[in-house]
Amino acid sequence: MAGRRKSGVRSALLGALLLAAGVALCVLVGLQFRGAVLASQDAVLERLVTSVDHNLDAVLGTCDDELEYAMGRADFRAAEDAWREHDRTADLRRCMASSVAARNRVSGGMLAFRDGVCFLSTTESTDYLPLSGLNEHGVNLLVGPDDQVHLAFVASSAADDVQYALLLNLKALYAVAVGTELQEDENLFLMDAAGSLALGFQDGRPQVWFVALEQAAGARHELMDLLLVAQEQDAQRTGDFSIQGKSGDYLSRALAVPASACRNQAFAICVSTRVDESAAQLQSLSLALGGCATLALAGVVLLVLAVGRIVRRSREDSLRMEQLAQRAQAMQELADTTQQMAHHQRLETIGTLTAGIAHEFNNTLTPVMAYSLMALEQVDENDDALTEPLVKIYTASKQAKDLIGKLAVLSRGPSDGPARLSVDDGLDQALSLVEPSRPKTVTVERGPACGAWVMGDRTQVMQLWVNLFVNAFQAMAQDGGVLSVTAAVNDAAEASVPGADGAAAGVSAADGAAGAGSVTIRVADTGPGMPEEVRAQVFDPFFTTKPTGEGTGLGLAIVAQIVDNLGGSIEVDSQPGRGTTFTATLPLAQTTPPV
């Protein structure tokens, strides 16, 4: 009897020991798995912060560019001079209100300061006081007429005694930062570098909080506390919070990054996402593991069922992580698209400036040509010492005026409608326009005239040829080569001409060619050529093989669009080491131009 009792005690102790070991193993595995899940969630939160940071940096960079551009315009400087000399503010206020900066999507108006005092505003009041000096470019704090704190983008004038401030519409800025609507269980907070105000989303719309007032009222959001700690310690901070939502309280995981660690340098960023469901699953997982360790003594069947439950819940967690990663990738793509469109907008601004400069040069060259002709009329024709220099002056001025005229045509927007255009004249003018950009190691071979006329917009047709010629020059810039330009009218039975290696070797930007009653223009270079994977995408918008900052990827996409507008087609034939040939087929004009 005593032996049985001892054996029972030993069995009980062994069973208790096995149960404790199983529970301890369950807790250890659960903690490790929880740490891995939280680390994965923190990585997703970091990518979300990076996407928001890129969005903010892009929109603040656009504000800076547009404010500098508005202040550099001639009419703006003239209005500022009129205010200094005659104390007239109407023209300056009009220039401020109509500037591209004041019409920015995040703009709340434009202010002008002198000696720290606001003397002119496009809003209804000038009662704005700076909380810090307005002597540097960047985001500054202002106190408005409603005693509220405002953010403003500030830049100094050329004379450096006047500063212009672009008020930021905080809710619009927050919407740009978010990019897409937040889910119910996600939060995004922004805080300025000075820690004065915060932006967030509450009750279905963006909100603005003033940190000092929230501290006094004791109603500050917990994510604000995390942002303040990150700002004070100048380091990233993570934390778990209990958030009150529409369906009740839930556990949220948050990451806060100080402004000094952000690319935009103006705002600290905090993002959070719901994790209580994952935590509950982890807790259930730990209990299941403990049960499995206990039930393993009773049978293999229950253990297999428990393992199946673990696998199912692990898949659910993986699916949740994949969804978060996809959202982070979408926000990154939005930031990249915003930067590309901002770069395209700057190119459009340069085109507008080019047209204005061409007009001013024409105004300068006209009197030079006129006075040289007047001087020639008054000089004895046998006086070669004076006649020859005057003729050279007039000839050089006329050549400059012709070149500027071509440049003005290229920089103009679309005309009122299509017109009959000579293919030969258009090709010759385009070659003349791009001649200054031709590398010395590149020669141009121009084929015989074809006498063809097409219907189209003059500016677009010029842009079509210029883009093709410049691309060819760039392809041959390093090793040199030959640019061949030919044009020929197709016979009535001809269709689209394929590439040199047959129809399969070319990539077309249209479904069909113009066929009968058309003219074919070939632009061929002897450059390095393109592999198949590059040739298949040459007409795609924003596709480029050039380094960052050296190309927009829009040149050939615009070429394809222009050819389509003209009712024609374009093909490209290229192989590595054998050069590249672009073949454009355009329909002929239906009527013969007047002689």
Side-chain angles (χ1 to χ4, degrees), residues 308-347:
R309 184 182 180 187
I310 294 171
V311 171
R312 184 177 66 256
R313 291 184 174 178
S314 298
R315 289 176 179 175
E316 293 174 354
D317 287 340
S318 299
L319 180 60
R320 173 69 173 173
M321 294 300 101
E322 182 179 355
Q323 292 174 346
L324 290 174
Q326 290 175 351
R327 287 179 55 81
Q329 182 180 1
M331 295 187 72
Q332 181 65 46
E333 292 175 353
L334 175 63
D336 294 339
T337 303
T338 301
Q339 292 176 347
Q340 290 170 344
M341 294 305 297
H343 182 59
H344 183 54
Q345 183 181 14
R346 285 195 292 271
L347 292 179

Side-chain angles (χ1 to χ4, degrees), residues 388-408:
E388 184 176 352
L390 290 173
V391 170
K392 290 183 177 179
I393 292 173
Y394 175 81
T395 303
S397 301
K398 187 176 185 304
Q399 291 175 348
K401 186 177 181 66
D402 292 341
L403 179 60
I404 292 169
K406 296 173 185 177
L407 185 62

Side-chain angles (χ1 to χ4, degrees), residues 259-311:
S260 60
C262 291
R263 183 175 180 177
N264 71 84
Q265 293 292 302
F267 291 94
I269 303 171
C270 182
V271 294
S272 69
T273 186
R274 186 171 183 171
V275 295
D276 59 343
E277 294 181 354
S278 298
Q281 291 174 358
L282 290 172
Q283 184 177 4
S284 300
L285 176 63
S286 300
L287 295 176
L289 286 173
C292 288
T294 303
L295 293 176
L297 301 174
V300 178
V301 176
L302 293 179
L303 179 60
V304 172
L305 292 176
V307 171
R309 184 182 180 187
I310 294 171
V311 171

Side-chain angles (χ1 to χ4, degrees), residues 68-388:
E68 291 289 344
Y69 170 74
M71 292 166 52
R73 288 178 56 92
D75 55 347
F76 195 102
R77 294 198 303 270
E80 186 179 84
D81 292 339
W83 162 73
R84 296 178 189 276
E85 296 174 6
H86 307 291
D87 197 29
R88 294 202 310 261
T89 59
D91 290 345
L92 183 57
R93 187 181 188 280
R94 177 183 56 78
C95 289
M96 291 167 55
S98 62
S99 67
V100 65
R103 292 181 283 108
N104 188 288
R105 55 179 171 171
V106 298
S107 172
M110 194 168 176
L111 313 175
F113 286 83
R114 189 176 191 181
D115 297 329
V117 177
C118 179
F119 67 90
L120 191 60
S121 169
T122 61
T123 65
E124 297 179 357
S125 174
T126 58
D127 294 331
Y128 293 89
L129 297 176
L131 293 181
S132 58
L134 300 179
N135 58 350
E136 294 181 356
H137 291 263
V139 178
N140 291 260
L141 298 177
L142 305 175
V143 176
D146 51 358
D147 292 329
Q148 298 292 330
V149 178
H150 298 267
L151 283 179
F153 216 101
V154 179
S156 298
S157 67
D160 206 30
D161 63 336
V162 176
Q163 292 83 35
Y164 296 95
L166 178 65
L167 288 178
L168 300 181
N169 185 321
L170 297 178
K171 293 183 180 180
L173 181 66
Y174 180 85
V176 171
V178 172
T180 57
E181 293 184 1
L182 293 173
Q183 300 295 328
E184 181 181 353
D185 57 355
E186 295 177 343
N187 284 284
L188 169 65
F189 266 69
L190 305 177
M191 181 178 292
D192 69 296
S196 299
L197 54 83
L199 310 177
F201 199 80
Q202 190 176 47
D203 298 330
R205 61 183 184 274
Q207 298 287 341
V208 180
W209 291 274
F210 297 96
V211 177
L213 297 179
E214 296 295 326
Q215 287 177 328
R220 185 170 66 256
H221 198 286
E222 292 166 321
L223 295 181
M224 284 191 211
D225 286 335
L226 189 64
L227 269 174
L228 286 172
V229 171
Q231 287 283 72
E232 293 172 358
Q233 298 181 357
D234 197 25
Q236 292 187 9
R237 302 294 299 177
T238 57
D240 297 331
F241 300 94
S242 178
I243 304 296
Q244 184 177 5
K246 294 181 180 179
S247 59
D249 294 344
Y250 62 89
L251 183 65
S252 180
R253 180 77 170 174
L255 171 66
V257 180
S260 60
C262 291
R263 183 175 180 177
N264 71 84
Q265 293 292 302
F267 291 94
I269 303 171
C270 182
V271 294
S272 69
T273 186
R274 186 171 183 171
V275 295
D276 59 343
E277 294 181 354
S278 298
Q281 291 174 358
L282 290 172
Q283 184 177 4
S284 300
L285 176 63
S286 300
L287 295 176
L289 286 173
C292 288
T294 303
L295 293 176
L297 301 174
V300 178
V301 176
L302 293 179
L303 179 60
V304 172
L305 292 176
V307 171
R309 184 182 180 187
I310 294 171
V311 171
R312 184 177 66 256
R313 291 184 174 178
S314 298
R315 289 176 179 175
E316 293 174 354
D317 287 340
S318 299
L319 180 60
R320 173 69 173 173
M321 294 300 101
E322 182 179 355
Q323 292 174 346
L324 290 174
Q326 290 175 351
R327 287 179 55 81
Q329 182 180 1
M331 295 187 72
Q332 181 65 46
E333 292 175 353
L334 175 63
D336 294 339
T337 303
T338 301
Q339 292 176 347
Q340 290 170 344
M341 294 305 297
H343 182 59
H344 183 54
Q345 183 181 14
R346 285 195 292 271
L347 292 179
E348 292 179 346
T349 302
I350 291 173
T352 302
L353 291 175
T354 301
I357 292 172
H359 177 73
E360 294 297 327
F361 266 103
N362 271 332
N363 291 341
T364 302
L365 290 172
T366 298
V368 174
M369 295 173 62
Y371 282 120
S372 62
L373 286 175
M374 292 173 60
L376 279 172
E377 293 176 357
Q378 298 176 15
V379 173
D380 188 353
E381 62 182 3
N382 296 323
D383 190 356
D384 295 337
L386 291 178
T387 301
E388 184 176 352

Side-chain angles (χ1 to χ4, degrees), residues 424-445:
D424 296 324
D425 290 345
L427 293 173
D428 292 337
Q429 291 176 9
L431 285 172
S432 175
L433 184 60
V434 301
E435 177 61 22
S437 64
R438 178 179 63 84
K440 296 181 179 179
T441 56
V442 174
T443 59
V444 177
E445 293 181 356

